[in-house]
Amino acid sequence: MSTFTAFYTAWSDQLQQLLRQLCSAPKPPTTQDHLHHLNHLVNKVLSHYAEYYRVKAAAAERDVLDIFAAPWASAFEKSLHWIAGWRPTTVFHLVYTESSILFESHIVDILRGVRTGDLGDLSPTQFRRVSELQCETVKEENAITDELSEWQHSVSDLMGATTGVDKMIERLVTVVRKADDLRLRTLKRVVDLLTPQQAVEFLIAAVELQQGIREWGMNQDRECSY
């Protein structure tokens, strides 16, 4: 087991603990202490993701090809990867999906003018800002995808060469770093657009999706190994 694989296993276990804390948090918050608690939990989760990308960056410097191979991930997880991780624009699909589900479940209350304060109660301003951020993220995502494509096309020039390999690997490390930076930035910027309650609900959905995909994928791998 590689050092990063061991780290990821422990990190994922800690993420599950944070999920339980998010799920048990007071929603909606009814006191100032509740609000402080929600903000504290949101910051803990974001810090946990930041730590993941910090350690991953160091691991990529040591062996970026191992990061792409992702031995800690299931086959199903790998099939969903974009440059050694989740696609940043997935965040927006998650926001829209969760908002739609909650909106429909509260439609009667909303028609009566009752505000729920959850993800189903996003304001027009919030929707506009999420849409603007989505457009910005799509552009950055495409630019990084193009950079990886250029790297892949240039690999053929190295076949049989005795020099230039290290420089090529360094370029690949840079591509991964840019992709991970966009992933973390997108997560933080979406959270910044939400209220503390909405941010907690969004992070619950994000972690449940990530952990659900991992659990299903690991189960599939175990079944296929029999």
Side-chain angles (χ1 to χ4, degrees), residues 40-54:
H40 175 66
L41 284 177
V42 168
N43 289 331
K44 278 180 67 175
V45 175
L46 291 179
S47 295
H48 193 59
Y49 275 103
E51 173 68 2
Y52 167 74
Y53 288 116
R54 184 190 68 77

Side-chain angles (χ1 to χ4, degrees), residues 189-209:
R189 292 180 73 183
V190 166
V191 166
D192 285 343
L193 298 178
L194 305 174
T195 67
Q197 178 185 349
Q198 291 167 345
V200 166
E201 291 170 344
F202 163 70
L203 289 173
I204 288 173
V207 175
E208 285 182 339
L209 177 63

Side-chain angles (χ1 to χ4, degrees), residues 82 86-97 99 122 125-143 182 185-191 193 202:
W82 170 82
W86 52 273
R87 188 176 286 273
T89 45
T90 303
V91 165
F92 303 101
H93 298 300
L94 190 59
V95 170
Y96 294 136
T97 299
S99 179
L122 292 176
T125 299
Q126 285 178 306
F127 270 118
R128 176 178 55 78
R129 293 175 68 189
V130 168
S131 179
E132 291 171 350
L133 181 56
Q134 181 179 14
C135 291
E136 294 174 21
T137 305
V138 167
K139 289 179 182 178
E140 287 195 66
E141 197 177 90
N142 289 341
L182 181 58
R185 259 191 305 121
T186 302
L187 192 64
K188 288 181 175 180
R189 292 180 73 183
V190 166
V191 166
L193 298 178
F202 163 70

Side-chain angles (χ1 to χ4, degrees), residues 6 41 48 55 66 123 126 145 155 163 176 186 189 200 223:
L41 284 177
H48 193 59
V55 176
D66 184 63
S123 69
Q126 285 178 306
T145 298
V155 167
T163 61
V176 173
T186 302
R189 292 180 73 183
V200 166
E223 289 180 11

